[in-house]
Amino acid sequence: MNYDDFADLYDHQYELYRDDLHFYAGVAERAAGPVLEVGAGTGRVTTYLARRGVDVTGLEPSERMIARAQERAAGGQELKLVQGDMQTFQLEQKFSLIIAPFNALMHLYTPNEQLGALQNLHVHLEPGSQFAFDLYLPRFGRPNTVRHEGETLHAPDGGRTDIFLVQRHDKLRQHITTEYHVDTTHPDGRLTRRHYTLTQRYYTRYEVEWLLRFAGFESPRVTGSFQGGPLEKGSEVMVFQTRAL
């Protein structure tokens, strides 16, 4: 998934998302050592951790996302950001904690990609160090239907942007593809449209547990919220915490 073209919309959509910040700050501060964030995106979590004094490095494949992250941190906060892919990156440093917030592992589409990335992350962890990440549970809206889910952005010049989406579900490959149609009404009445496509590969709980064990991690603690509640039928997220053996 190339996020270069998608970076500005992504930043607008998720700039105010805060649900996971206290959880990742907590595990990072308890780690008491260097932290690697995988899939740092536009720096939402990276910046938050750095401002709390965490020694954090953000790994992100998209050059444009990294540029947005540096813009976010402008004004005194210096971020350590590395361009690279979680399957192939190589750093000399090892970490006390690796985190993969906000569905970062959902950009691994095949078992080989998933196992390769997890093994590479394992290589970059000190023995006994923690790996924490979250994934959303596979529940989707009505497929093949244009939907507007309340996402409207208002520009200072009076322009308005509405985000419509269509989702297509490939159950055999466990892929969900979201096509975004971003319509902007300009102050002079003109209407322009941008189109983006995002494909994610979703997981079941026990599939993730087996992948972790094959990659050299211990059996994880799994919760259904960032506050530590049990994973239940109504949970919206799966939160995993494990350690490198």
Side-chain angles (χ1 to χ4, degrees), residues 57-188:
T57 298
L59 178 76
E60 169 57 44
S62 165
E63 183 177 359
R64 179 57 185 152
M65 294 285 247
I66 290 175
R68 289 291 302 215
Q70 297 289 14
E71 291 169 13
R72 178 192 292 273
Q77 186 67 54
E78 184 174 344
L79 297 183
K80 292 190 290 185
L81 297 167
V82 176
Q83 186 173 9
D85 181 275
M86 70 180 88
Q87 299 177 67
T88 58
F89 81 96
Q90 294 181 341
L91 299 177
E92 294 183 5
Q93 184 180 16
K94 290 203 173 187
F95 297 88
S96 300
L97 168 71
I98 293 179
I99 60 174
F102 205 45
N103 310 309
L105 300 186
M106 296 181 77
H107 296 297
L108 302 167
Y109 301 103
T110 68
N112 284 341
E113 290 179 0
Q114 293 153 11
L115 190 57
L118 291 174
Q119 288 173 332
N120 194 29
L121 297 180
H122 189 281
V123 166
H124 287 84
L125 277 171
E126 297 284 358
S129 294
Q130 191 174 10
F131 176 36
F133 59 97
D134 64 278
L135 302 165
Y136 70 65
L137 284 162
R139 288 194 299 272
F140 310 110
R142 187 174 178 181
N144 306 317
T145 303
V146 177
R147 309 198 305 267
H148 187 290
E149 298 187 335
E151 289 189 276
T152 299
L153 310 174
H154 296 277
D157 64 1
R160 166 182 171 146
T161 297
D162 288 283
I163 302 171
F164 300 87
L165 60 88
V166 180
Q167 288 189 313
R168 310 193 190 283
H169 189 186
D170 185 337
K171 294 182 180 180
L172 293 179
R173 293 193 295 173
Q174 294 177 219
H175 287 188
I176 189 74
T177 297
T178 304
E179 297 179 9
Y180 292 92
H181 301 276
V182 183
D183 289 358
T184 299
T185 304
H186 299 272
D188 60 6

